[in-house]
Amino acid sequence: MTGNGPLMTERLNLGRIRNPWVVVAAYNEAPVVGSVVSGICRAGYAVVVVDDGSSDRTGDIALLAGAVVVRHPINLGQGAALQTGIDYALEQRADALVTFDADGQHSPAAIAALLAAIEQPGIDFALGSRFLTGATANLPMSRRILLSAAVWFTRASTGLPVTDTHNGLRAMTARGARAISLRQNRMAHASEILLQIAQSGLRFVEVPVNIEYSTYSLGKGQRISDALTILIDLFARRLYR
Amino acid sequence: MIAQLLLTALLALVLVYAWSAHRTVPIIGLLASGAALAGLYFVWVPEHATALAAFVGIGRGSDLIVYTWVVISLLIVLNLHLKLRLQLDMITRLARAVAIDRAKESRREPGAPRKRRPVPLSRKAEAPPIELQAK
């Protein structure tokens, strides 16, 4: 187990995974980050929260809730925060990592399912999908259309037959994590991860996960205008070495 | 003749800029080089500029050169934008290193003495330098 020392109450007995870490990128999530971290700790996982230069008490609350907190001195974006969390977890000799959103829309119960998926031999990534079961609650039609367009774009640009993109719930082995090097600081990191998975040649599976949309999480989520920014970021990244 | 010499000097500067940009952003270097070379050609062979301008429907050769200059300026702006992104990359790596170091320090046992060996000034750094450099 890790030095974080969470209680082993709900965590499944995982075979070859001995030291899983949950990585949470958080920016001004003080209202919800405490309950999110508590839920993950109760499920029995070590959690590192990357406080991405929040102006509220996100980092302090996450620390009190039981997380290891890594604080960016300035706000860099979700992609940068996730990479920081991944780097930190790998330094702690994590053998599996799960990325988890800080806005409370993910269930800690999904972590075990994702980790079980990468327990399979030869699988290095497990990607959460909202659309495998259709069980996602409160998904507005506008968000569904936006996500469908993102899925189409990702399939066209990476060749990966994914059913969902921009889903923050993912698990990866340490080998998979080392194959990922996020340089998209902002929201385009979700597409960048899929591109790097495709380039790495490592295998992935999709795992159905339920996302509970709330007024809070929808308010923090992406909009159609963000899609344009993501496309510009992805295009600009291809221009320079 | 004065205008031709002035434009030649300016376009030569653009060529130098394109050469330096080529190392970091090859596409910008290539496009800026092409535009600058085309500009040089048309500055000294204006009748060809007029012919080409008439062919593409612009009208006057001098207008074509102005438009070419606008394109070069836009490419330089794009290159500056990309340089800013490279600098953001470096800032990100720096902030990440600071954040992780601080987190590791804060996780040490409270009260445990911090052992830091003095590093001789002549000693080379053990950590590899950051390869990414703004150019």
Side-chain angles (χ1 to χ4, degrees):
Chain A
M1 195 58 230
T2 68
N4 202 33
L7 296 173
M8 300 283 290
T9 51
E10 295 177 26
R11 183 174 144 188
L12 296 180
N13 286 324
L14 297 165
R16 65 189 173 101
I17 296 176
R18 303 287 178 199
N19 186 21
W21 276 74
V22 178
V23 176
V24 179
Y27 175 62
N28 288 346
E29 301 280 10
V32 293
V33 73
S35 60
V36 169
V37 170
S38 298
I40 297 169
C41 289
R42 272 198 305 275
Y45 300 100
V47 52
V48 54
V49 170
V50 182
D51 177 5
D52 190 23
S54 299
S55 56
D56 62 9
R57 297 187 63 243
T58 295
D60 297 335
I61 292 169
L63 193 65
L64 285 172
V68 173
V69 176
V70 180
R71 298 174 199 261
H72 279 174
I74 50 175
N75 177 244
L76 293 169
Q78 192 183 28
L82 281 179
Q83 186 62 55
T84 299
I86 289 169
D87 286 358
Y88 182 84
L90 288 175
E91 283 197 14
Q92 305 305 308
R93 296 189 171 82
D95 53 8
L97 295 89
V98 177
T99 63
F100 198 94
D101 282 359
D103 58 9
Q105 63 181 9
H106 294 162
S107 164
I111 297 173
L114 289 164
L115 290 175
I118 58 171
E119 279 274 285
Q120 301 169 62
I123 302 295
D124 284 289
F125 295 95
L127 309 175
S129 172
R130 285 162 277 198
F131 303 118
L132 282 178
T133 61
T136 291
N138 308 327
L139 179 60
M141 184 54 71
S142 60
R143 187 65 62 91
R144 189 176 290 273
I145 292 170
L146 185 62
L147 289 169
S148 299
V151 167
W152 176 86
F153 175 79
T154 302
R155 285 181 176 177
S157 59
T158 67
L160 294 181
V162 292
T163 61
D164 192 3
T165 62
H166 292 260
N167 188 328
L169 258 177
R170 322 171 185 86
M172 59 193 89
T173 61
R175 180 172 70 160
R178 288 192 192 95
I180 297 297
S181 176
L182 295 177
R183 292 183 69 189
Q184 291 287 357
N185 280 4
R186 296 185 291 180
M187 296 310 296
H189 72 273
S191 300
E192 190 182 26
I193 285 180
L194 294 173
L195 185 63
Q196 291 183 358
I197 290 173
Q199 290 171 340
S200 71
L202 299 174
R203 291 173 62 199
F204 76 95
V205 291
E206 285 195 299
V207 176
V209 294
N210 187 31
I211 308 292
E212 285 285 347
Y213 286 98
S214 62
T215 307
Y216 178 85
S217 68
L218 285 171
K220 302 275 288 191
Q222 296 171 47
R223 296 170 178 80
I224 290 175
S225 57
D226 295 328
L228 183 63
T229 309
I230 289 170
L231 285 176
I232 292 171
D233 281 346
L234 289 172
F235 174 72
R237 179 65 190 87
R238 293 187 177 198
L239 286 180
Y240 67 93
R241 288 170 180 164
Chain B
M1 179 60 89
I2 293 173
Q4 281 177 315
L5 289 174
L6 192 63
L7 281 171
T8 301
L10 289 172
L11 287 167
L13 283 177
V14 172
L15 269 181
V16 174
Y17 176 84
W19 175 252
S20 68
H22 181 77
R23 284 179 293 179
T24 48
V25 196
I27 185 73
I28 296 290
L30 203 64
L31 291 174
S33 298
L37 287 172
L40 278 171
Y41 180 76
F42 290 138
V43 162
W44 288 100
V45 195
E47 55 271 25
H48 284 188
T50 305
L52 182 63
F55 178 73
V56 297
I58 291 175
R60 291 190 309 168
S62 57
D63 288 344
L64 180 64
I65 290 176
V66 170
Y67 293 155
T68 306
W69 189 258
V70 169
V71 169
I72 291 171
S73 303
L74 287 175
L75 288 172
I76 291 172
V77 169
L78 178 60
N79 193 34
L80 288 174
H81 172 77
L82 295 177
K83 276 189 178 177
L84 284 177
R85 293 179 65 92
L86 277 174
Q87 292 199 342
L88 180 62
D89 266 358
M90 289 191 290
I91 291 169
T92 299
R93 294 173 66 172
L94 180 63
R96 180 170 296 138
V98 168
I100 290 177
D101 279 354
R102 282 183 182 167
K104 284 194 287 195
E105 289 231 349
S106 68
R107 287 194 74 195
R108 285 179 183 164
E109 291 292 326
R114 292 180 181 178
K115 292 180 181 176
R116 280 187 176 173
R117 287 180 300 168
V119 180
L121 288 176
S122 59
R123 187 174 161 188
K124 288 182 182 175
E126 291 173 359
I130 293 175
E131 293 171 5
L132 197 61
Q133 291 181 341
K135 289 175 181 172

